[in-house]
Amino acid sequence: MKTPIKLAFLAIILVSFSCKQNPAETPEHKAMVEEHTLMEASHDAMSKTHDAMSDSHEKMLAAHKAIENDSIHLEMEKTHSAILAKHQQLIASHESLIKKHAELETKHGSGEMSLEEMTTEHATMKAEHETMEKEHEKIKAEHERVLKEDEKMMAEDKEKSEA
């Protein structure tokens, strides 16, 4: 009689352990992994934009060399440098967020973190990412404004020198 009870007890234990789902296979985890891929793509786009901003800054500096110490152009260069520094800081913060998000994936996938903890942390990180994307767009728009302003000033300077 003891053997069937032991077998039944063992079967219940085995069933309870075998039914436990791998955290990495949950729909929530898979959605988080997909979000991470999107975050990485966004980061790549930010980095490419930064490279283009840096290139335009170099072109601006080269174009300004032909102008004799014009304080307006020097101020424009300072403004543009500040925009680049602000954007670089944003990229560094975003890179840090991506690393934290990857750690979150690993912790949840290994079972070190519960679904509820993962969901809460992921929501916080997602909101932080969205805020950073908005800031990126603001910086990008500010950069475009400064470039157009500089181009306009350069055209005016050219007209004055030709007159």
Side-chain angles (χ1 to χ4, degrees):
M1 189 79 163
K2 284 186 176 183
T3 304
I5 293 173
K6 285 182 183 179
L7 287 175
F9 183 69
L10 184 60
I12 291 171
I13 291 174
L14 287 174
V15 167
S16 67
F17 280 113
S18 65
C19 290
K20 187 174 180 183
Q21 188 176 15
N22 179 354
E25 296 300 320
T26 62
E28 295 86 356
H29 187 87
K30 289 178 180 180
M32 179 181 58
V33 170
E34 181 62 33
E35 284 286 332
H36 187 80
T37 302
L38 295 174
M39 287 171 77
E40 287 177 328
S42 173
H43 187 76
D44 289 343
M46 283 183 194
S47 295
K48 287 177 183 171
T49 299
H50 188 76
D51 291 344
M53 290 167 106
S54 295
D55 290 345
S56 66
H57 186 68
E58 293 302 318
K59 289 176 186 172
M60 177 190 285
L61 292 176
H64 288 184
K65 283 186 180 184
I67 300 168
E68 290 183 29
N69 296 328
D70 184 1
S71 62
I72 295 173
H73 290 286
L74 290 175
E75 194 60 38
M76 185 69 64
E77 290 173 14
K78 287 180 186 176
T79 301
H80 199 254
S81 291
I83 291 169
L84 285 173
K86 187 177 179 181
H87 196 256
Q88 182 60 51
Q89 178 58 44
L90 176 67
I91 288 173
S93 296
H94 195 257
E95 190 171 342
S96 175
L97 178 66
I98 288 173
K99 286 179 183 174
K100 284 175 32 181
H101 198 268
E103 290 171 9
L104 177 65
E105 283 182 39
T106 302
K107 285 180 181 178
H108 182 255
S110 68
E112 188 178 330
M113 179 180 280
S114 72
L115 178 63
E116 294 79 20
E117 291 171 317
M118 180 278 292
T119 304
T120 301
E121 258 190 73
H122 173 65
T124 301
M125 288 181 190
K126 185 176 177 179
E128 195 174 339
H129 166 71
E130 289 169 358
T131 300
M132 288 180 184
E133 281 189 319
K134 287 176 186 171
E135 182 64 19
H136 168 72
E137 290 304 317
K138 285 180 189 176
I139 292 170
K140 197 166 114 177
E142 186 178 0
H143 174 259
E144 287 299 317
R145 181 190 57 76
V146 169
L147 278 185
K148 285 181 182 174
E149 201 174 305
D150 185 62
E151 288 171 7
K152 182 181 173 186
M153 286 186 346
M154 292 299 287
E156 288 171 359
D157 288 345
K158 186 175 180 180
E159 285 177 17
K160 286 178 189 176
S161 69
E162 291 174 355

